[in-house]
Structure formats: C-alpha cells, structure tokens
Amino acid sequence: MRAPRHPRRDARGDRPAAPADAPAHPGPPGEGRRAETPPSPGREPSLARGAGRRVLLVAAEPDLAELLATTLGLAGYRAVLAGTLAEALARLGAQRFDLAVVDTALPGLAGYDAAGRPAIAHRPPVLYLAACDLLGRLLPELAPGEKDCVTKPLRVAEVLTRMQVLLRATAPGAPGRAPGYGDLVVDDVLRRARRGDRDLGLTPAEYRLLRHLLDNPHRVLSKEQLGRYVRGGYRGDNAVEQLVSRLRRKVDRGGAALIHTRRGFGYWLGKADTVD
C-alpha cells in the first residue's frame, strides 16, 4: 500500500509552504508572509522598498495602525502614526512626508473634505484605505499621480504596491509633474521658476542651483556638492556663496524664507525647523 502523501514543507521543514498566490496574512503583525522577498535576478522587487522614506499613517483603529506600521517598518519605510485628523494636520505642518496613508473611516474626515484644506508647505501624495461602499464619494477626490485607493479588507501586498506606484509617479522628474515646494514651482520645459504669481527671472546657474535644492528638500548640501552640480567643480572661492545669496533674494522676497544656511555645513531648502 502506498504511503499517504504529506503536505510539502518549506526549506526549514517546520510547516507547509504557502501557495505562491496566497493573500497577505490578516493576522497580528509579524505573522504570515514577510513584507520583503528577494527579487529575482534582473527583475524589480514585487513589493516596494521604503529606502527610509517618511510615511504619515493616519488611522484611528489601533489594530490596523499597528499592522500597517509594523509592515511598513519591515519594508524599509519610516512610519509616523496619527490617530486623529487634528494630529495628522499638525504633523503635516511640522515636517515633510513622502506619502500619506489615510483610513477613510477616520472621524471628521468627511467634514474636512467639505470645509477645504489648510495651507501646507509640502502636500504629499495620498493612499486612501476605503470600504467599497465609500468609493462613490471618494472617486471624485482621486487624481492620477497624486492619489489612489485600496479597498478593504486590505491585502498588505496591494497596499505596498500602490504606495510604490504613487511614489514613482510623484517623484522629482516624473513625467507630467512640476517640481516645486509649496508655492515655489519650476518649469523644466521653459526653464522658468515662479513663487506664487511672481516670476523669479533666474539665470541658468541660479536655475540649476534651485533645481538641485528642490531635488533634495530638507537636506543640507555642502558648498562642494553645490559647486560640483552647478559649475562642474568646486574652486574653493566664494562663487557658491554669492550664487546662493542671489537666489535667496529672488526666492524669499516677499514670502517666508525657504533657503537657509547651516553655518559650517552648507545650505538647504524647505520650511524652517524641518531639516533632517
């Protein structure tokens, strides 16, 4: 008599292997499939790699917040939790985030949509977590490249994949996206920069300097780094300081200061008190 077949075991031999198309485990954080799996040679990983990017996670339900925060941490993101709308807005006003993940079941969210949005220096792309019966109200809010949604019950793999797509679509230099910071916007086709309704009238060197600062917001860049990017090399003179000074006068005139000096280290662009 043929011996009964046993379930195939994984490499460790301690439990049956999950099918390749099994959904993400809905249980407590740390169980189920790993958030990251090694990519096949020559292929991109199937799930997003966080690379330290900041994500604001807005969810009032503790279990959901814990599950997603743990998963994002394993995937390499830096997740910051906000349990209320007021806390989320305060965090958005205090620091820069690369992405916001928002549970639409958050109390007060519908009233916030109706009342309008406050001015925030950097408004990140948003991934909504929504029940199917809310899609009708949510769909008018969605804009290609800036917002997306995942329906509940959630599949963690889908959440991570949608995050990756949003981050690619809104990255500096992405097709159709105008690089900028708050009311400061540059046009790479016309090589012009505006702050609000005011054209800045930048020289080619000033424009290259501004683009490099915009590509590295809240990051201190040394004179050597800026000189190599803008002029092809650093000569040790005060040319970079003079260039930064001219650009600062044009950008910051009549508005909140966006270009700052970190004495002894270099220069950075962003809202005050938000440098890394």
Side-chain angles (χ1 to χ4, degrees), residues 170 173 201:
T170 57

Side-chain angles (χ1 to χ4, degrees), residues 18-41:
D21 59 351
H25 196 285
E31 296 185 6
R33 264 199 284 180
R34 296 183 182 182
E36 294 184 287
T37 54
S40 301

Side-chain angles (χ1 to χ4, degrees), residues 25-175:
H25 196 285
E31 296 185 6
R33 264 199 284 180
R34 296 183 182 182
E36 294 184 287
T37 54
S40 301
R43 296 182 60 186
E44 290 187 358
S46 58
L47 298 183
R49 295 299 189 266
R53 284 170 288 193
R54 285 198 183 97
V55 176
L56 178 62
L57 178 56
V58 187
E61 182 184 340
D63 290 344
L64 176 63
E66 183 183 1
L67 171 64
L68 290 177
T70 301
T71 301
L72 296 184
L74 291 173
Y77 294 93
R78 288 186 288 171
V80 176
L81 294 175
T84 66
L85 181 59
E87 183 181 1
L89 294 175
R91 291 191 180 279
L92 284 171
Q95 64 183 124
R96 182 184 185 277
F97 290 92
D98 298 293
L99 180 73
V101 178
V102 180
D103 182 10
T104 58
L106 190 75
L109 190 62
Y112 165 68
D113 289 342
R117 295 164 176 75
I120 296 172
H122 176 79
R123 191 182 300 279
V126 179
L127 178 64
Y128 290 109
L129 313 177
C132 287
D133 58 357
L134 291 179
L135 286 180
R137 180 179 66 82
L138 182 60
L139 285 176
E141 286 286 313
L142 300 181
E146 296 180 359
K147 299 176 185 177
D148 201 349
C149 68
V150 174
T151 55
K152 300 176 183 179
L154 300 177
R155 290 172 58 95
V156 171
E158 183 182 6
V159 172
L160 292 173
T161 301
R162 295 292 185 96
M163 289 174 59
Q164 186 182 43
V165 171
L166 270 176
L167 287 167
R168 277 203 304 261
T170 57

